[in-house]
Each structure stands twice: as structure tokens, then as C-alpha cells.
Amino acid sequence: MKAILFRSGTLVDPLGEKVWEADLLVEDGRIKGISKGLASPRGAQVINVSGCLIFPGCVDVHVHLREPGGEHKETIATGVRAAVRGGFVAVAAMPNTSPVADNAAVVGYVAARGREEGWSRVLPIGALSRGSQGEELAPLEEMWRAGAVAFSDDGHWLANAQLMRRAMEYAQMLGVPVISHCEESELTRGGVMNEGITATRLGLRGMPAAAEEIAVARDLVLAELTGCHLHVAHVSTAGVVRLLREARSRGLSVSAEVTPHHLILTEEAVQGYDTNAKVNPPLRTQADVEVLLEALADGTIAIVATDHAPHAREEKETEFDQAPFGISGLETAIPLIFTELVHKGIIGLTQAAARLSLAPRRLLGLPGGSLAEGEPAELTVIDPEREEVVDPANFASKGRNTPFAGWRLKGWPVGVLLRDRWCLVRELPGAGREEI
Ligand code: DOR
């Protein structure tokens, strides 16, 4: 790969907790040099990124790419382009496809399709149980050999504690995390939004916070029993944050993620029966949002993940009760985090880079996540001042289902470096325009 020199960027290194202005040179898939006034090697591509932030490449640990079987909602081809447009150099794909990625063949297929596309890297997650049905263990080691980076029955909670214990024991031996979708399903049966006054007013059946908290509590106990690393997906309640704090204070190997929508919206977004705000776990209350923001700032929740859940328009354009759960999140995550958290002073730049790059990489055992010589040449370049109105019609994703349509957001990704290739996705503040 030819050398690329990023001129006059503002570098954000979450590991050294440093923000500074410098040039950054990459060559042969690695960061080769960082300093002011770097000479450009012969033949190097020079990209003026003045006014832009350079983050180590952002990674989304929770996406649904729908292939195989759900290609009317999303394909790996459209999903990886959506990831690049959203500023993500790698995405971890949940196994709730059709067939479910519960064996080496499907896991290998997803990984291979990702490699063929060659945009954002696709890291497959294997199911914990066959068909994610919660009855029989899936062949975890085979899937790990085929490239699975974690195991999860996302979309369902593995209610059988004995099966979860066994899965965690295997995952622990393989050195990969178990990602749990925490939802006690007897408590949420038939529910379509958060349980509470708003649900009562709207005449919709609620899903109580307790359903999520009970599941997290059990999984933490099993994580302690097995020594397996537990990663709690899409945390949405204050009670879960309390449980995580207690577990972390006792040194358990546990991490957690939160989505932009759970950090920014409340159950009020469901008023008007907007099916784009129907998501699982459901949007909760302002009190929950405040605790989630605190937890993200203090590191109790170290990862922002999108839970990118694309659905076809006709599936969402139906009665609230009937619509599928999910928000198409890849292309709005970074601007939402900038607009609502960074620009409002809730988290700083190095924290944003830690939550979007360093911590996701650590969870999945990926190198990188910092800006230093020798680190992988994976970068996300963000224009913190760029303002744009969210228009789902311009999404690369097939999923246009977002409650953020029409929001004016400030702070957009302008390009990503994917080791072998620079992809410009918006114009640089001082340069011409190219499109992917
Ligand atoms: O809202 C959601 N949608 N939550 C999930 O857990 C699954 C996801 C999907 O696959 O659509």
C-alpha cells in the first residue's frame, strides 16, 4: 500500500488521553510516524485534514447485517458501506440471521462475504445455542475456528442457566466473550415499549425494567462462577448500571455497551405511535437516561454500540404492536454522540474515542485503539463542526428506520482509513469531494 500523509489533523489518542495537532503518516498498513511538519515521502498521497479530528478506527461491536436470509432488510454489501459512511472500520455481526449463525458454515460465510466486499471488516458472532432457541449448545469451538469473535443469542436471553453456564465455560476456555441480550422473556411477553405511565396512556403493553435487571443479575452470577468475560448488550436501565457497578467493584470480568438511542431518547419518543422508536430493549425514562450518561462518562459502560437493526419500510409501516423492534443506527451514531454528548460537555474527545474505538477493540481482542507508531493504520476522521440534517433517503443501509430523521446534527465522519484504502465519505473542510 502506498504511503498516505494526513496533514494538520487534531489527533485524539484515548490510550494516552491526549489531544494534539500533528501530521500522521501511514505506510504498509501501520502508523509510520506522528509529528508536526512531517516530510511527505515520494509518491505519498497527501490529505489535508486541518479542522478534523483523527480517531483510531471506530469499531461497532453490535450490528445486524441480516445476511443470510434477511436480504430485503440489509445485505453484507449494503451493511459494510453503511458502516464506512458512519465512520466504522469494523463491525461485529450478530448471528440472528436465517439460518442462524450457529455453526461454522454460516460463521465462515459471513466472514468470507465481508472479506469479498472489502469495506468495513465484518467480524462474525456465533450463536450460544442452536438456532438461538435456548435448548442445545451450539458448536462454539468450531465457530471460533471459523472466525467467531464472540458468542451471543442476541434477540433472546439464554434462559436456561445450565446451558449458559456451559457456554460460558467453553467461551472462557476459548478466550472470547459472551454477549448477553438481557431480557427475562416471561416478564416482557407481548410488551412493545417501556412499562410505565406512557405505555398506559398509549394503551400499549409494557416491558418492565426488572426484566432486564433480573437477566443481568443472573448473568453476573454465572460470570463469577465460570470466570468468563460477560459483555452486557444494549444497557437501558438505571438498575442495570447499579448491578454493573457492584460487579466491577468486586473485580468481575464484565463490560457493557449502550446505544446512542438509549442515551438520547426516552419513552416519550413513542408518542404518536412512531414505529421507528420501537426498539428492544425499549426506550426508557429520563431518570434512566441520566444514569446511562453518567455511567458512560465514568466508564461503568465503556462501549457505545449501535445495535444497527435495519428493517424494510413495509415492515415498520404497520400498527405499533405488529412492527419489528429496531433502529438503523450505523450512519447516525457518531454525529449523535458528538451533538448530544461531546458538544454538550458530557464526555470529552478522548472518552469518545475510548468508547468508540479502544474499548470495543479490547472486547473483541483486536489490536489498535490508539494513535502511536506501529499501530494498525485504521483511522476515523471526523469534522466536529460539520452540520447536516439526517436524511434516511441518503443512507447506504437499506434500513431507513430511524427516529432521528430530520435532526440537525453537528460532528460527522468525513472518511475512514481501512488499512489498505482511504475512503472519503463527505467533503473535507478544505478539499474537493469524492464519494464511495
Ligand atoms: O431492537 C432490536 N432489534 N433489538 C434486538 O435485540 C434485535 C434487533 C433485531 O434483530 O432487529
Side-chain angles (χ1 to χ4, degrees):
M1 171 199 166
K2 77 172 172 190
I4 304 178
L5 179 64
F6 293 89
R7 184 73 85 197
S8 308
T10 299
L11 277 55
V12 181
D13 179 22
L15 191 65
E17 298 186 6
K18 235 176 91 178
V19 179
W20 76 111
E21 275 183 31
D23 299 339
L24 185 153
L25 177 69
V26 301
E27 206 169 0
D28 299 326
R30 306 236 153 240
I31 297 178
K32 190 75 185 292
I34 296 176
S35 105
K36 279 203 174 158
L38 274 181
S40 134
R42 188 194 297 267
Q45 182 182 3
V46 179
I47 300 166
N48 180 351
V49 289
S50 61
C52 291
L53 306 168
I54 302 184
F55 276 29
C58 296
V59 174
D60 188 349
V61 302
H62 192 145
V63 305
H64 298 272
L65 299 182
R66 307 299 191 205
E67 188 179 338
E71 290 83 353
H72 64 292
K73 296 174 191 273
E74 189 80 291
T75 63
I76 289 173
T78 55
V80 292
R81 284 166 175 79
V84 164
R85 273 188 69 80
F88 293 97
V89 302
V91 291
M94 283 296 175
N96 63 337
T97 48
S98 180
V100 170
D102 64 357
N103 61 74
V106 181
V107 166
Y109 170 82
V110 170
R113 284 288 302 114
R115 275 194 301 277
E116 277 163 28
E117 289 301 325
W119 294 95
S120 185
R121 263 191 300 154
V122 177
L123 310 163
I125 297 173
L128 292 166
S129 66
R130 284 197 194 270
S132 287
Q133 296 291 303
E135 283 159 16
E136 237 184 296
L137 206 59
L140 304 189
E141 185 172 348
E142 278 172 48
M143 290 190 284
W144 176 73
R145 290 192 190 287
V149 294
F151 300 113
S152 178
D153 272 355
D154 188 58
H156 307 276
W157 185 55
L158 214 183
N160 180 327
Q162 169 68 353
L163 212 57
M164 184 63 154
R165 176 188 185 173
R166 291 283 170 252
M168 285 181 139
E169 284 169 349
Y170 281 116
Q172 193 272 336
M173 284 191 279
L174 298 170
V176 296
V178 164
I179 303 178
S180 188
H181 169 114
C182 290
E183 173 184 356
E184 204 295 313
S185 60
E186 296 302 322
L187 284 171
T188 59
R189 192 178 300 281
V192 293
M193 69 171 293
N194 185 43
E195 181 176 296
I197 183 81
T198 309
T200 308
R201 209 179 315 120
L202 293 173
L204 294 172
R205 195 188 287 254
M207 305 160 89
E212 189 170 332
E213 291 151 9
I214 285 169
V216 171
R218 190 218 56 188
D219 286 347
L220 288 169
V221 171
L222 290 179
E224 185 161 17
L225 177 66
T226 60
C228 175
H229 183 85
L230 171 70
H231 177 73
V232 180
H234 40 51
V235 174
S236 74
T237 82
V240 170
V241 171
R242 256 193 324 270
L243 291 164
L244 290 170
R245 287 210 169 105
E246 195 271 341
R248 284 165 57 86
S249 75
R250 290 191 304 109
L252 262 65
S253 182
V254 54
S255 56
E257 74 193 29
V258 61
T259 68
H261 47 270
H262 289 110
L263 287 167
I264 293 165
L265 299 175
T266 68
E267 59 184 6
E268 304 284 316
V270 174
Q271 307 242 24
Y273 302 92
D274 179 6
T275 59
N276 286 322
K278 181 174 174 183
V279 66
N280 188 16
L283 302 170
R284 304 282 188 185
T285 66
Q286 189 56 37
D288 293 301
V289 166
E290 279 160 23
V291 172
L292 293 174
L293 289 169
E294 256 173 52
L296 189 74
D298 73 20
T300 303
I301 299 177
I303 294 178
V304 171
T306 65
D307 193 4
H308 176 71
H311 292 291
R313 192 163 69 168
E314 60 276 15
E315 293 168 327
K316 277 287 196 180
E317 278 181 1
T318 179
E319 283 166 54
F320 197 88
D321 274 335
Q322 305 304 318
F325 292 98
I327 289 174
S328 180
L330 275 169
E331 289 167 83
T332 51
I334 288 179
L336 284 168
I337 294 298
F338 266 78
T339 308
E340 298 293 328
L341 276 68
V342 176
H343 290 312
K344 291 185 178 171
I346 295 168
I347 59 171
L349 286 175
T350 58
Q351 280 175 311
R355 307 294 178 262
L356 289 160
S357 178
L358 179 62
R361 285 169 183 274
R362 285 197 171 154
L363 174 69
L364 301 178
L366 307 175
S370 115
L371 296 180
E373 281 178 31
E375 289 288 303
E378 292 187 325
L379 306 171
T380 299
V381 177
I382 296 165
D383 177 354
E385 298 302 320
R386 184 188 175 89
E387 292 191 38
E388 220 177 274
V389 174
V390 176
D391 181 1
N394 293 335
F395 281 4
S397 171
K398 285 192 183 184
R400 308 282 157 92
N401 46 304
T402 173
F404 298 108
W407 283 40
R408 173 171 282 277
L409 302 179
K410 182 175 167 186
W412 289 79
V414 292
V416 295
L417 181 68
L418 304 167
R419 280 183 202 241
D420 60 339
R421 191 152 45 119
W422 165 243
C423 303
L424 188 66
V425 299
R426 290 187 175 74
E427 68 255 28
L428 286 159
R433 192 181 165 87
E434 294 164 40
E435 288 276 351
I436 64 164

